[in-house]
Amino acid sequence: MGRQSSERVVIVGGGIQGCAAAYFLARAGWSVTVLEKDNIGRHASGANAGGVRRLGRDLREVPLSLAAMDIWKDLPAYIGEEAAAAFHPSFYMKVAIDDKGHGLGLDRIRMLENAGYQHEIWLSKRELKKRLPQLEGPLLGGVLVEGDGWAVPWRIVRGFAKAALDHGAEILEGCQVVQFSRHSSGVWKIETATGSLESDWVVNCAGAWAARLARKAGDLDFPLSAHAPMLAITERRAPVLPAVLGVLGHTLSLKQLDTGQFLIGGGVRATADLETDKAGLKIPEMATSIRLACQLLPGISVAGILRCWSGIEGYMPDDLPVIGMGGLPGLVHGFGFSAHGFQLGPGVGEVLADLVIARQTKVSLKPFCPSRFG
């Protein structure tokens, strides 16, 4: 039996995890307030490449990714038809362009099969060329996942925010947490730049700022670092790429949006400043990903780069997120997604809500235990 929904919950952070958690809690009848220091989806959740992929996940992360995908497949039932239209399912392909990548791909498939997973399959060079005949270069095969795709990140985040509001949640933007502590009565006292409030539960979805928030509470000292993964977008071209594309052993994420523009990313990092909220750019490093995209699809080389940007993201040393109960009663953590949390977002929101409500989660959270570093 779960806890009583009369208890109050404050969620710190208005990214996809925070807004999805607010939705699931509010839908269950709980009193929920989201505190976002900037705007909803302002940082990593709104500035990422929008990849919705199960492909390439750490084996320990696969169950959570599969559970999240169940929500993505039925997204209109959660956030409505209009917001869900921002998700474009197709297929995700990571191609091998050298012997190293070829070996990585075959090892990956064997590992997944030994673990009982069959959502990733290997395509031979011939099968790959049949599926994506427009690709050029030394293609040796690739790993495919049907049904993965891409989404417009900020529209999905705002979709969960609106769905949470529709179920009675409150969202306060421009509301930075200054201090918070748990009193002997069991109530959390939360001081913000615009006032104070009390809550029975605090859910820490503060992204790259989450370790600071944990320290304010007197919880564990998390080894969270901040970086700024970079993206570039081109001019419009006629549709040629129906899939999201990566390269085994190299850093690239390439997709063609419904506007015809190519979005190039893959996690190449610039510097991030948590004091000023500024995310930098390193053009030479970004150019490496752009050149690789042009090698696979030469037509990109004549499409001008319109803009490069980056968003601030929190990284853990093992690249796995922190999801679970904190070291203090009434404190739950969900952060450290290390530039691959967007697809997980809806599933993470659901398990965070389950932890507050005291419901059994659909997947084990043991690999993401907050105390694994301490």
Side-chain angles (χ1 to χ4, degrees), residues 95-99 125 128 135-141 295-296:
V95 300
I97 61 172
D98 50 31
D99 291 338
K125 176 180 178 180
L128 170 58
L135 293 188
E136 297 190 13
L139 302 170
L140 304 177
Q295 176 184 333
L296 292 167

Side-chain angles (χ1 to χ4, degrees), residues 60-315:
R60 294 164 290 183
E61 212 174 57
V62 169
L64 181 58
S65 180
L66 295 178
M69 203 65 197
D70 289 339
I71 298 174
W72 282 99
K73 289 176 179 176
D74 196 23
L75 202 54
Y78 295 89
I79 63 174
E81 295 281 351
E82 183 177 354
F87 172 42
H88 301 264
S90 53
F91 61 97
Y92 210 117
M93 179 85 79
K94 272 202 166 186
V95 300
I97 61 172
D98 50 31
D99 291 338
K100 178 186 175 184
H102 186 257
L104 286 172
L106 293 178
D107 289 346
R108 169 82 183 170
I109 296 299
R110 279 193 290 270
M111 180 182 70
L112 287 173
E113 288 178 349
N114 289 336
Y117 298 116
Q118 298 179 330
H119 59 286
E120 296 186 23
I121 61 172
W122 176 258
L123 294 188
S124 67
K125 176 180 178 180
R126 181 179 179 181
E127 292 168 325
L128 170 58
K129 287 297 289 184
K130 186 176 180 180
R131 197 68 187 263
L132 291 172
Q134 62 276 46
L135 293 188
E136 297 190 13
L139 302 170
L140 304 177
V143 178
L144 168 76
V145 176
E146 297 281 8
D148 283 2
W150 62 274
V152 181
W154 66 268
R155 288 183 59 190
I156 297 296
V157 178
R158 290 202 168 269
F160 274 106
K162 182 179 182 304
L165 290 170
D166 290 344
H167 284 284
E170 179 183 31
I171 296 178
L172 303 178
E173 296 178 286
C175 189
Q176 183 167 10
V177 173
V178 177
Q179 191 56 266
F180 76 114
S181 58
R182 186 173 184 273
H183 284 215
S184 56
S185 63
V187 173
W188 287 93
K189 303 278 188 181
I190 302 151
E191 301 292 333
T192 77
T194 56
S196 61
L197 63 163
E198 296 182 346
S199 179
D200 301 288
W201 289 84
V202 174
V203 181
N204 177 11
C205 293
W209 294 264
R212 293 184 174 191
L213 194 73
R215 282 195 291 272
K216 289 180 189 291
D219 199 7
L220 297 170
D221 190 11
F222 291 99
L224 183 70
S225 58
H227 301 282
M230 297 181 288
L231 295 165
I233 194 163
T234 73
E235 298 171 330
R236 301 182 182 198
R237 288 294 181 269
V240 294
L241 183 60
V244 182
L245 197 65
V247 179
L248 289 158
H250 297 265
T251 303
L252 177 68
S253 169
L254 173 64
K255 56 184 71 74
Q256 189 172 23
L257 307 181
D258 53 350
T259 59
Q261 296 167 292
F262 294 99
L263 183 62
I264 303 168
V268 180
R269 306 173 186 176
T271 56
D273 188 333
L274 296 184
E275 300 298 332
T276 62
D277 288 2
K278 299 291 186 184
L281 288 172
K282 293 183 177 179
I283 298 302
E285 286 83 349
M286 188 68 234
T288 302
S289 296
I290 295 172
R291 281 194 292 271
L292 187 53
C294 294
Q295 176 184 333
L296 292 167
L297 277 174
I300 296 176
S301 62
V302 294
I305 300 294
L306 294 180
R307 188 166 74 94
C308 295
W309 72 94
S310 65
I312 300 177
E313 171 69 297
Y315 291 73

Side-chain angles (χ1 to χ4, degrees), residues 320-333:
L320 289 178
V322 172
I323 306 172
M325 305 298 291
L328 300 168
L331 180 61
V332 180
H333 295 300

Side-chain angles (χ1 to χ4, degrees), residues 2-90:
R3 297 187 179 93
Q4 298 301 308
S5 60
S6 58
E7 296 182 21
R8 299 155 297 179
V9 184
V10 163
I11 298 171
V12 183
I16 189 167
Q17 283 82 20
C19 289
Y23 162 74
F24 284 106
L25 283 164
R27 192 181 72 168
W30 284 61
S31 174
V32 182
T33 299
V34 178
L35 305 181
E36 166 54 50
K37 70 183 185 64
D38 296 301
N39 303 108
I40 293 299
R42 165 67 178 80
H43 293 287
S45 288
N48 68 81
V52 181
R53 65 166 178 86
R54 291 159 289 179
L55 193 154
R57 295 278 171 188
D58 185 298
L59 197 58
R60 294 164 290 183
E61 212 174 57
V62 169
L64 181 58
S65 180
L66 295 178
M69 203 65 197
D70 289 339
I71 298 174
W72 282 99
K73 289 176 179 176
D74 196 23
L75 202 54
Y78 295 89
I79 63 174
E81 295 281 351
E82 183 177 354
F87 172 42
H88 301 264
S90 53

